[in-house]
Structures are given as C-alpha cells and as structure tokens.
Amino acid sequence: MPAAAIQLPYLNRFLPLAYLLIFIAFSAFAYADANFPLFFIGAAATALSWWLVERKSGGGGKPLPRPLINLGVLAAGVGVAYELLIAPESHDIRQANILMALGHFMAAILICKLFERKSNRDYAQILTLSLMLMAAGAIVANASLLYAILLAIYLALGFYVILLFHLRSETQHAAILMDDPLPKSKIKNQKSKVSKDFRFIAFWSAGLLVAIATAVFLAFPRSSSRDWRISWSDHSTTTGFSDQVAMRNHVSIQLSDALAMEVKLEEVLPDQSRVNLGSESYDPYFRGTVLDTYNSLHQWVSSTSGPRASVADHPLVPGQPTTLTAPPPNPANTGAVILQTYTLRNRTTSNMLYTIGGGPPLTFASDQLSSVIFWDRQYLLSAPRSVRPLTYQVTSPLTVRAAMFHDCPFVTPGSLGERRNIDGEIRTYYRVPDKIAELAKSLAGSLLSSSPDEPLKEENVGMLAKKFQDYLQTNYPYTLQYDVIDTSIDPLEDFLFNRKSIGGHCECFAGAMVMMCRAVGINARMATGYHGGEFNSIGGFYLVREKDAHAWVEVFIPDRGWSIFDPSPASGSTLKTASLTRWFQEISQLLQKAWLSTVVAFDNTSRKYLFSTISSFFDWLADWTRTAATDGAAGLRELLIGTNSSPFMRIYIYLAITGTIALSVFLTHRIRRRRSSYLPMILKTVDRKTQKKLAYDLIFFDELLRILDKTGQKKRLEQTPREYIEQLAIPLGSALSDARWLVRAFYDIRFGSVRVDTPMRDRIFASLHNIRHHLQR
C-alpha cells in the first residue's frame, strides 16, 4: 500500500530530514578527512538522488537499474582494496589510516543505496551507514570543535528522524493489517494527541540521554595515557617534533595541520605587571631539545644521556613555581623576565618540554606534574611521564647574556661530538667529512687564523656563523621532498654537493651549518622544536601546529652565549587575510581553545578539581546558611522581644508573619486542590487554548465530585458522570435532581457549544449548595 495513503501529515517530514541527515554525515566525514572532493561528491549525490528517486510522492521516482548499482558496489570494493593494499606511498590516494579507507568504502556504499528504490529496510541501512560514517570521522577528527558541533546536530536530528521512522513504519504496518487506508476523520481526531505524545517522548528521551551522557562524562573522564587512536595512523612522514634526526631517511614529508600547542608570551616587569609580547610580526623559536652529537649512523642526537650530562629531578608544588636556575648576581641581569604559558596538545613519544630562545629557564610550575627533569648544562626540560594535554609555565630572562651560561669548552676543528672508549682511551670517533671542511674553510677566507694550530678569534665567531647562514639561505632551495642521491657518502655531504639545485628541508640546512661551524672550530649544535605559529590577537596567544616544527642552529658566541642562527630559506610567503576573515578565524580559534581546554582535556585530575570546587561551594553555602540563620534569628528575636525595637515595628513584624502564614496556608490549599482535580484528566485530549477556556466554566464539576467523594463512594475511572450520579441516588435523595442537572450542564459545556452566563452560574451555585446541605444532614 502506498505510504502516502496512510501517513499522518507530520510523517512527511521523514524523507527530507533523512536526506539532511545524510548530507550532514557526508559533510562531517569529508571535514575530518580534509577531503573537499568527497564533500562535493556526497552533496551532489544526495541532491541528485532526491531529485531522481524521491521527488514524486508514492514512490514514483526513477531509481537506477539494479545492475548499475551492483557495479557501483563492486567498484567501491575494488577501490578500498586498492587504497589499502596496492596504492604506492607516494600516490595521493594512499591512506595510512585504515579507518579513513573504510570510511571511503562506507561513503561509496551509501551513495549506491541512495539511487535504488527503497523500502523501510533500505532506509534503516542508510541511516546505519550514515551513523558509521560519523563514528569513523569522530575517531580521526583530532578533537575538532566544528566536528563536535556537526556531531551534536547529527545526533539530535538523528534521534528525531529515528522516532519518525519508527512511527512511519508502524503506521504503514497497521494500515496493511487493516487492509484499508486510515479514514481522514480518524487522522484528524488523532493528529493533536499523537503529535503531543511524540513531542513528549522526543523531548524527555533526549533530555534523559543528555543527562546520562553528562554523568558518564563527569564520572569517567578520559585517560591521560597515550591515545590508542595513534596506532591507526602512521605519522612518520608528517611534520612534527623529534628529539633526534636521522639523515639517512628517504622520506617525502607532508605538512600536518594538527595542533601541537598553544603558547602565551608575557613580559613580567620588576613591579610584577605583565605585557603581552606576541604579535603577528614576531615569530619566536620554541626549543624542545639540542642535538650536539653526530654519530657514525648519520644521526644527530643529544649528549644529555652521556657523561657530559648534568641532570636533576626537581619536585613541584601545585600552584607554586619551582626555581631551576638562580638569576645572575649582576643587577643588570635581574630585571624583566618572559613568562611562557604552554598547553601541549601533541602526542609525540618524546617527553621534552619547550622553552623560548636559548636562555636558561629560571622557574617552572605545573599543577599536572609532581616533578620536572632539568639538564642544567643544556637548559633542557622534560616531564617524568607523558601527559597530554599538559599546561605549564616557564620564566626566562628577557635579556640573555653570556654570564648566564656555563663555560663552553673549546671545540677541536672537525669534531662532531661522538666519543668512544677505544683501548681505555676516549677518542673522537666521527669527524666532519673532508669536502665539507674544505667548503667551510674556503667560505671563511681571511676570518680564519693563518696557523692551523691557532684557535679562531672570538670576535670572528659571530661573523663567520652569519656567513655560513647566508651561504645556505641564498644557494639552496627549500623542499620537503628528500632523497639521497649518492648513498656512498655522508648524507649532508650529498646535500651540499649533489642537491644544490634540489635543496632540502630544515634538518638538512641545520645539520650542514653545524658541520661547517665545527669544521673551523666553532661550537655549534642543532636545536629542534617549533618556529612561529598563528598569533591570535584577540586571545593574545600563539596557535602552533605540527607543520611549524623546525630545526635551527645555536652557536656559542663568547660575548653573547648561545645565539640562534636559522640557515633555512623561507618556504613561501604568507598572505595577509582580510580583517573580517581574520576576526572570524581568531574567534573560531578561541572557541576551539575553550573546547580543547574544557571538554577534550577533561581527565581524572580535572574531575577531582571540579568535584573539589563543587564540594567547597556547598561547604561555603552551608556555612553561610548557618550564619545567616543564626543572625536572622537573633535579629528577629531582638525585633519581637528586644528592648531596642519600637512598638510600631513589632506590630509590623507580627502582621508580616501572620500574612506570610495565611498566604502559605492558602497556597498549600490551592496546590492540594489542583492535584486532586479531575479537570486535567477530563481535558487532556483537547488543545491548550481550549483547556484554558473550559477550565473556568467546568470548575463546578470538580467541586461536585469533591462533595460527592464525602459519601464514601468515589468515582471509578471507567464510570461516566451520569453513571456515577445514578449510583448515588439513595444518598442524594431529594438533591438527585440538582446532581442530574449539573451533569447535563457538564455535557453541554464540555461537548456542546453552551457557555456559562450569569443566570446559569447562579443556578450552579444553588445546586451545589443544595447537594452540600443535603449530605451534611
């Protein structure tokens, strides 16, 4: 039987809302996958299938032939197999994430289902596929606020659509069993009641689900351990922080927009006032680690684990900064400091923490860590355990001077830091390749000492480092495509001499400059971390993404300490966005930051803090209530019986108390009468406007039933008013005629068009008085 013949009017909403739900699922998954073509294909398929298949009521559309749909399903299967098993890594279609590949397969199946003629079973499958598509996107959406909004809209709309679908299918089933379309009169009579019940179920069920979800969210917060979702993805070819650099890797690096951290930089003046240092033109360097050793495996690593390391584990007190480095005794160096507030979002395997520049950290504070590990020679910080998201604060001196650093030992020209114990003697094991050393010396020219045994002059260190930086920036292009050409030589030698026209990424430039500096006896090292980020002028913080990961060089200049040099050329210019677009972008960043800080970052520590805050509030409220009650009772006692209160004030207080008691008794009586009233049950099938109009006219019937209840025979639910009155014929006696007239008046008002006027109201009161007087005798 055609569905249109048996639907209630509001069930026509099911098809457009179901297609809207499918469109939301396509949009959300395409956003999570950062795949605009998928969004375009999904939106076009949804609109086209609606026009072809659903545009005519009663199933009069034109679905695609079944063989063509089967061919589409087969193509979807071949596509997912190619995506997972066959496609090469360098191909754009390659997906390291299995969930996204399966999501593409589900999207293709969903598109095929849209173009076929659909029964209720097909609609159920389509709704299920759209839900699975949303779930797949939610797992890899990287805690996006926009995806959370789309998911909330989908779930709210989906709950309503499922209720419509259930009512629609049951209505169709009932009509088929009746073997006759529902009469229009029955549809009209049931429309108001079913709509009201439907809204009631939808509202209270949704409210209950939200309450349960909130309770589960608060009682079972997310774990602070490493996210299991990382195992689905391979991040080895995307940008991000690393605490060691392997130069032999043959990779094609992809930029990642994943959020790494949020940073706020403030200058703390001697009077403890703060000034925000961030701006769109200021791109700070957030250092995570330093790599001062290049080993025989062609890896840049840190010597923090070797004999030159000096490490201490500093305990932390929540809410209080812990001193790491005592400020220099020189008064000129004890002025303003930089307060850095970090919120780490990235989930790397490294526990290194970030600080700005190359200066020594003075203090450290975090409520999420019990201690912090500090290498006082390299000025590096790390957490004893992985906590993400992690918020901490570090202070560093605003002005970095050489006096703040440890004495830097003289570097033997050509040394790369790796030292091995050979026959009981510590020897340098790996040195700068000869061709790189020759290049460095030729670029240095007259800045080098004439005698090989004479050390480099201190005043020439900075100039020579600047010369190496400028040479690399101007003679080599920047690229993320890296592949060693000659594997028989050192990778950095290959970069400098075989890839001059091809270029390399930041690690190649930094490693090459460190080698060139070491070749002429300059103490240099590679630093890795993040550079720059998007500055949010409204919130005053930097939004740093994984694509901002960077490697640069730190050179020890005797009169300045460790100084930053960045030999990498600019990878491209950033276009300034329009002011209005920029404003919307910054507002969205603030909302995303709030979402990550409150919802995504809610863990067991946050739950304990929340419950502690709530408990403290209720303790304060209880103390305030006890104090207010004690003070109020003492003040009232003084007003009533005290010697300082005037007689007029006492009379006023007594009248106020008496009026309050009387009003309370009156309201209690009205509430009890309303709860025991029969009118809500009598008028429940009519609309709210009619209820208000009839409630005043029928209040006499409610009073009649209360009077008759005193006979000891209450009206049963299955009894009509007329049957109830006839049952009380003996107790009513001579008042039976008045009771019968009141029942007739009830029927005329409730189901007829009779309105209560003054003569009728007078007779109603007289009849009620007669019945009450008769029963009291």
Side-chain angles (χ1 to χ4, degrees):
M1 178 174 295
I6 50 86
Q7 284 185 355
L8 295 174
Y10 51 84
L11 293 183
N12 293 328
R13 305 171 189 167
F14 168 72
L15 282 179
L17 290 181
Y19 270 74
L20 177 59
L21 202 67
I22 295 168
F23 173 74
I24 293 174
F26 273 125
S27 302
F29 182 78
Y31 170 75
D33 192 25
N35 192 338
F36 179 78
L38 178 61
F39 166 76
F40 178 78
I41 293 172
T46 304
L48 184 61
S49 65
W50 172 265
W51 184 76
L52 284 177
V53 183
E54 309 291 352
R55 73 182 188 277
K56 294 183 180 180
S57 61
K62 297 180 180 179
L64 295 181
R66 172 58 61 178
L68 190 59
I69 294 176
N70 292 339
L71 184 62
V73 174
L74 180 61
V78 172
V80 73
Y82 176 74
E83 191 173 358
L84 289 175
L85 304 175
I86 303 175
E89 287 191 14
S90 60
H91 201 280
D92 292 339
I93 200 173
R94 174 68 178 177
Q95 291 291 327
N97 194 314
I98 299 176
L99 282 180
M100 299 311 291
L102 295 179
H104 297 158
F105 176 71
M106 288 187 290
I109 296 298
L110 183 55
I111 291 175
C112 293
K113 295 289 293 183
L114 288 176
F115 285 94
E116 67 180 6
R117 191 179 301 278
K118 299 179 244 345
S119 62
N120 285 336
R121 179 181 178 184
D122 296 310
Y123 285 119
Q125 293 173 350
I126 288 174
L127 293 177
T128 303
L129 282 172
S130 69
L131 178 61
M132 294 173 64
L133 206 59
M134 291 294 298
I139 295 176
V140 293
N142 200 25
S144 168
L145 175 60
L146 178 58
Y147 195 92
I149 294 174
L150 292 174
L151 181 60
I153 295 174
Y154 176 89
L155 293 177
L157 182 62
F159 181 73
Y160 183 76
V161 169
I162 289 174
L163 289 177
L164 279 175
F165 175 66
H166 176 71
L167 186 59
R168 178 178 182 269
S169 60
E170 291 300 319
T171 304
Q172 292 177 356
H173 183 63
I176 293 173
L177 292 179
M178 292 169 57
D179 197 23
D180 187 40
L182 293 178
K184 292 185 178 180
S185 59
K186 291 186 178 181
I187 293 178
K188 182 178 180 181
N189 292 336
Q190 293 297 320
K191 177 182 177 181
S192 175
K193 185 177 185 305
V194 176
S195 297
K196 180 180 178 181
D197 292 342
F198 189 81
R199 289 194 300 268
F200 176 83
I201 294 173
F203 176 80
W204 287 106
S205 298
L208 180 61
L209 290 175
V210 170
I212 293 175
T214 302
V216 171
F217 174 78
L218 295 176
F220 303 98
R222 64 196 297 271
S223 172
S224 59
S225 61
R226 191 170 183 262
D227 199 333
W228 63 271
R229 292 175 297 178
I230 296 179
S231 61
W232 288 94
S233 302
D234 178 14
H235 297 281
S236 60
T237 60
T238 59
T239 51
F241 171 75
S242 177
D243 54 8
Q244 67 176 20
V245 174
M247 302 308 303
R248 276 292 187 197
N249 286 347
H250 297 239
V251 294
S252 176
I253 302 177
Q254 303 295 325
L255 293 176
S256 171
D257 283 326
L259 185 60
M261 59 183 174
E262 298 141 8
V263 188
K264 189 170 187 178
L265 304 178
E266 298 173 292
E267 178 183 353
V268 183
L269 302 176
D271 61 357
Q272 300 305 309
S273 60
R274 298 183 184 181
V275 178
N276 198 305
L277 294 177
S279 68
E280 294 184 19
S281 59
Y282 176 46
D283 293 331
Y285 289 83
F286 304 107
R287 186 179 70 154
T289 189
V290 291
L291 310 176
D292 54 4
T293 299
Y294 189 73
N295 59 32
S296 56
L297 299 178
H298 309 292
Q299 295 175 329
W300 287 102
V301 296
S302 177
S303 62
T304 53
S305 59
R308 289 174 287 175
S310 177
V311 60
D313 194 348
H314 293 264
L316 301 177
V317 178
Q320 297 182 11
T322 297
T323 300
L324 301 178
T325 306
N330 187 345
N333 297 330
T334 59
V337 299
I338 303 178
L339 175 63
Q340 309 148 56
T341 303
Y342 296 84
T343 300
L344 305 187
R345 306 289 183 187
N346 60 344
R347 294 182 175 273
T348 62
T349 56
S350 173
N351 291 343
M352 302 302 296
L353 304 178
Y354 306 95
T355 58
I356 190 170
L362 302 177
T363 63
F364 183 91
S366 176
D367 293 337
Q368 297 173 258
L369 299 175
S370 58
S371 64
V372 63
I373 301 173
F374 177 49
W375 282 267
D376 60 358
R377 292 190 180 275
Q378 292 83 4
Y379 298 127
L380 299 179
L381 296 171
S382 70
R385 57 189 178 91
S386 179
V387 179
R388 294 294 188 276
L390 172 64
T391 300
Y392 64 92
Q393 289 186 329
V394 180
T395 59
S396 303
L398 183 64
T399 304
V400 179
R401 300 180 185 276
M404 299 179 182
F405 297 94
H406 294 284
D407 293 334
C408 187
F410 173 75
V411 175
T412 305
S415 173
L416 289 176
E418 186 183 38
R419 300 165 68 83
R420 295 287 182 87
N421 189 332
I422 303 176
D423 299 331
E425 182 181 353
I426 302 296
R427 298 179 183 176
T428 301
Y429 189 75
Y430 198 71
R431 299 178 60 83
V432 176
D434 293 338
K435 289 190 66 175
I436 298 180
E438 292 174 3
L439 174 63
K441 292 175 182 178
S442 64
L443 291 174
S446 61
L447 294 177
L448 282 180
S449 302
S450 56
S451 173
D453 298 330
E454 185 179 350
L456 184 67
K457 295 180 180 180
E458 293 184 354
E459 60 269 20
N460 292 342
V461 172
M463 291 187 292
L464 191 51
K466 181 68 166 54
K467 199 167 188 179
F468 292 153
Q469 173 188 264
D470 294 343
Y471 171 77
L472 292 171
Q473 284 183 344
T474 55
N475 289 278
Y476 296 83
Y478 186 91
T479 179
L480 294 176
Q481 308 297 323
Y482 182 76
D483 192 9
V484 176
I485 295 177
D486 187 354
T487 58
S488 64
I489 59 177
D490 186 274
L492 289 173
E493 182 180 347
D494 180 74
F495 163 71
L496 286 173
F497 296 99
N498 296 333
R499 294 178 56 88
K500 193 168 185 178
S501 60
I502 303 173
H505 47 75
C506 59
E507 295 168 348
C508 299
F509 287 94
M513 181 174 172
V514 172
M515 276 197 173
M516 294 167 73
C517 289
R518 294 282 185 92
V520 296
I522 296 177
N523 199 336
R525 61 193 184 187
M526 183 189 299
T528 60
Y530 295 90
H531 176 216
E534 304 170 28
F535 181 70
N536 188 296
S537 59
I538 299 177
F541 61 89
Y542 287 90
L543 205 65
V544 183
R545 304 186 182 277
E546 295 293 354
K547 65 182 180 182
D548 298 317
H550 194 52
W552 60 93
V553 177
E554 291 182 352
V555 175
F556 190 85
I557 300 178
D559 58 343
R560 291 189 329 206
W562 290 103
S563 301
I564 293 177
F565 289 84
D566 194 347
S568 300
S571 57
S573 60
T574 303
L575 298 177
K576 297 293 183 181
T577 57
S579 58
L580 184 61
T581 305
R582 177 76 178 180
W583 184 83
F584 278 111
Q585 181 182 6
E586 292 185 349
I587 289 295
S588 66
Q589 290 172 355
L590 283 176
L591 295 176
Q592 177 78 0
K593 183 176 183 292
W595 164 258
L596 292 173
S597 301
T598 56
V599 178
V600 177
F602 189 83
D603 55 8
N604 193 49
T605 303
S606 304
R607 179 180 63 84
K608 291 180 179 178
Y609 176 77
L610 176 63
F611 287 172
S612 174
T613 303
I614 295 175
S615 177
S616 300
F617 170 76
F618 280 109
D619 290 341
W620 171 85
L621 183 62
D623 294 338
W624 179 87
T625 303
R626 285 193 295 267
T627 304
T630 302
D631 295 343
L636 183 62
R637 188 183 305 110
E638 176 63 27
L639 288 174
L640 295 178
I641 60 176
T643 58
N644 296 327
S645 59
S646 64
F648 294 103
M649 180 60 69
R650 293 182 184 180
I651 293 173
Y652 175 76
I653 294 298
Y654 281 120
L655 289 177
I657 294 175
T658 304
T660 302
I661 295 174
L663 180 62
S664 300
V665 172
F666 172 75
L667 292 177
T668 303
H669 178 68
R670 288 292 301 272
I671 293 173
R672 291 182 63 183
R673 286 177 65 90
R674 287 192 176 185
R675 288 184 175 179
S676 61
S677 176
Y678 291 92
L679 291 181
M681 182 177 62
I682 294 172
L683 301 177
K684 69 177 182 179
T685 58
V686 298
D687 57 83
R688 189 176 298 274
K689 183 178 180 181
T690 307
Q691 285 181 6
K692 291 181 179 181
K693 183 172 63 175
L694 293 177
Y696 181 74
D697 291 343
L698 293 177
I699 194 171
F700 74 90
F701 184 73
D702 210 27
E703 181 65 22
L704 173 64
L705 294 181
R706 288 197 184 93
I707 295 172
L708 297 180
D709 280 347
K710 297 178 181 179
T711 63
Q713 301 182 43
K714 292 188 176 183
K715 178 182 176 297
R716 299 191 301 274
L717 292 176
E718 69 274 8
Q719 281 184 312
T720 64
R722 195 184 306 276
E723 291 172 345
Y724 181 52
I725 294 300
E726 297 301 328
Q727 177 184 330
L728 299 176
I730 296 177
L732 286 172
S734 60
L736 179 61
S737 60
D738 290 313
R740 287 173 175 170
W741 183 85
L742 289 173
V743 169
R744 286 198 301 273
F746 164 77
Y747 282 118
D748 291 339
I749 297 170
R750 170 62 181 88
F751 300 103
S753 58
V754 176
R755 297 300 305 272
V756 179
D757 53 13
T758 301
M760 188 176 184
R761 190 173 304 279
D762 293 340
R763 185 172 179 185
I764 289 173
F765 288 154
S767 298
L768 290 174
H769 175 74
N770 292 339
I771 296 173
R772 187 183 296 109
H773 180 70
H774 178 80
L775 293 178
Q776 288 176 353
R777 290 188 301 177

